[in-house]
Amino acid sequence: MNRSQLKRSRILKMAFSDSTRSEKDEPFILRATKIAAVVALYWFISISMVFLNNYLLDSRELDAPVFITFFQCVVSVGLCWILNFLSKLCPGFVDFPSLKFDFRVSREILPLTVVFIGMITFNNLCLKYVGVAFYTVGRSLSTVFNVVLSYAVLKQTTSFYAVLCCGVILGGFWLGVDQESVAGSLSWTGVVFGVIASLCVSLNAIYTKKVMPVVDGNIWKLSYYNNLNASVLFIPLIVVLGELKSLLEFNRLTHLNFWGMMILGGVFGFAIGYVTGLQIKFTSPLTHNVSGTAKSCAQTVLAVIYSASSKSALWWTSNMMVLAGSFAYTWVKGLEMKKVQVPPETQTTSSQKSKEDSAV
């Protein structure tokens, strides 16, 4: 280890110890209040975004789900430019990476963008056809696809208990589909879109890890290039699918209320990335997943109350199976990560490094 590496490791050690010390120095009530506020903000943004997208997509006058998704990507790019400008104008107040378009970076991120387009488009199409109440079940297979793709692509095996959790999720999914069919409200189109969306969510996670080094590990740069690429690629899709004609025939195209809701949907779509990172920062990845599961439960209950519909006991059971399976999977994976987090050889290496640091 050379001198510059030792200095760098000492600086990082001091930074982490200072941040940990400052968190410990905070009163419990203040820390708990901050965590509660961040979790509440995540719930508000996430639930509001789903209901707002459902409102926009459920319009009988405008059948243009791809255009709505395209516009949200354009808003995200615009917000990146605004934050980039504000960071230069007020460097001490706004912290945002400098954005300068690089065609090479854009090209290397293109495979991720294709998956990203599939993810957000099929997410919105699933929401359009199944509604908010069944949305959680309709899009519940992303965990199952994570396990399948981890084995097929990365050759990573999954523990028996994690596979068992996936079995519970699959059971809840099929029971939910059955109960929607019994109630006469099943949309097979929406179910298929939900399954494809779940697959794209899993692929998106794999490709995101793959291209992160291209943007120096900066999530905001990745979001900028991803949404910029998507905005360009969506244009021919809008023309081919005939949504341009539907848009021109829309009688509220010039209404400020319509465009206000469209912009708000884009802002929420951009903000969800920020509040997700914020919740992980103030809690942990495991707690974030648990919070997301609880949020999905609350979202389903709110949707049923809002639509004033009555659901059977088996329908609720399917939702509980999906949520319980997702929660159990998160818990099992969390325990497995703790077991392999600090192996003995790593502890020995760490102790040796700390001795070297103290010697210099």
Side-chain angles (χ1 to χ4, degrees):
M1 184 181 286
N2 59 36
R3 202 170 192 81
S4 63
Q5 285 176 321
L6 285 168
K7 286 180 180 177
R8 200 179 300 121
S9 65
R10 194 184 298 129
I11 290 167
L12 286 169
K13 189 177 177 182
M14 288 170 63
F16 282 119
S17 63
D18 287 345
S19 64
T20 307
R21 196 181 297 117
S22 64
E23 284 180 6
K24 286 181 179 178
D25 289 343
E26 276 187 352
F28 171 75
I29 295 176
L30 179 61
R31 193 164 69 251
T33 303
K34 281 184 179 179
I35 291 171
V38 168
V39 172
L41 180 64
Y42 169 77
W43 279 42
F44 172 75
I45 295 291
S46 183
I47 293 175
S48 298
M49 183 182 70
V50 171
F51 275 92
L52 183 57
N53 280 343
N54 184 65
Y55 168 79
L56 292 168
L57 293 162
D58 201 34
S59 173
R60 294 181 180 178
E61 298 173 4
L62 178 63
D63 185 20
V66 175
F67 171 77
I68 292 169
T69 311
F70 154 77
F71 188 81
Q72 290 176 348
C73 290
V74 172
V75 171
S76 292
V77 173
L79 288 170
C80 285
W81 282 337
I82 291 170
L83 289 172
N84 178 48
F85 173 75
L86 290 175
S87 67
K88 293 177 180 177
L89 193 68
C90 315
F93 184 71
V94 179
D95 183 23
F96 199 80
S98 178
L99 297 178
K100 187 179 179 182
F101 181 76
D102 187 333
F103 182 76
R104 180 190 62 81
V105 174
S106 177
R107 188 180 67 247
E108 289 188 30
I109 289 176
L110 198 58
L112 172 65
T113 303
V114 173
V115 175
F116 174 72
I117 287 173
M119 181 182 73
I120 58 177
T121 302
F122 288 114
N123 263 339
N124 281 347
L125 286 170
C126 174
L127 184 60
K128 175 182 173 66
Y129 285 96
V130 304
V132 180
F134 191 64
Y135 183 62
T136 300
V137 175
R139 267 201 66 265
S140 62
L141 298 184
S142 56
T143 301
V144 178
F145 280 121
N146 279 340
V147 172
V148 173
L149 290 174
S150 293
Y151 181 75
V153 179
L154 306 175
K155 304 302 178 185
Q156 294 177 352
T157 56
T158 306
S159 68
F160 170 75
Y161 290 111
V163 172
L164 197 63
C165 295
C166 290
V168 174
I169 295 170
L170 272 171
F173 174 79
W174 284 116
L175 181 60
V177 169
D178 176 70
Q179 288 304 297
E180 283 286 302
S181 179
V182 170
S185 55
L186 178 66
S187 167
W188 276 110
T189 305
V191 171
V192 171
F193 285 148
V195 172
I196 299 172
S198 299
L199 174 61
C200 289
V201 168
S202 300
L203 286 171
N204 187 72
I206 292 172
Y207 276 97
T208 297
K209 289 179 182 178
K210 191 176 180 180
V211 302
M212 262 299 186
V214 179
V215 290
D216 304 319
N218 193 296
I219 195 68
W220 292 117
K221 279 187 179 180
L222 182 64
S223 176
Y224 168 70
Y225 279 103
N226 224 358
N227 281 285
L228 186 62
N229 285 349
S231 298
V232 175
L233 293 177
F234 267 128
I235 294 172
L237 279 176
I238 292 168
V239 176
V240 169
L241 295 173
E243 290 192 3
L244 196 59
K245 182 184 177 183
S246 178
L247 188 65
L248 293 173
E249 293 175 353
F250 183 47
N251 58 11
R252 290 195 292 122
L253 187 62
T254 56
H255 289 201
L256 290 177
N257 179 57
F258 168 71
W259 289 108
M261 296 295 278
M262 288 281 284
I263 292 170
L264 190 60
V267 170
F268 277 145
F270 181 79
I272 192 65
Y274 174 74
V275 294
T276 297
L278 201 64
Q279 181 170 246
I280 292 170
K281 177 185 175 182
F282 276 84
T283 58
S284 68
L286 178 62
T287 307
H288 164 68
N289 287 333
V290 173
S291 173
T293 303
K295 186 272 306 180
S296 297
C297 182
Q299 182 177 284
T300 302
V301 172
L302 284 172
V304 172
I305 293 171
Y306 178 76
S307 61
S309 58
S310 60
K311 302 293 184 182
S312 66
L314 284 176
W315 188 92
W316 285 108
T317 302
S318 71
N319 277 267
M320 289 303 104
M321 285 177 68
V322 165
L323 294 170
S326 301
F327 171 79
Y329 179 85
T330 300
W331 182 64
V332 167
K333 295 301 284 185
L335 289 177
E336 289 175 359
M337 286 175 68
K338 282 182 180 179
K339 286 179 181 178
V340 299
Q341 197 168 15
V342 188
E345 58 270 20
T346 307
Q347 290 180 342
T348 306
T349 308
S350 299
S351 63
Q352 287 176 349
K353 285 184 178 179
S354 63
K355 286 177 183 177
E356 290 174 2
D357 288 345
S358 61
V360 176

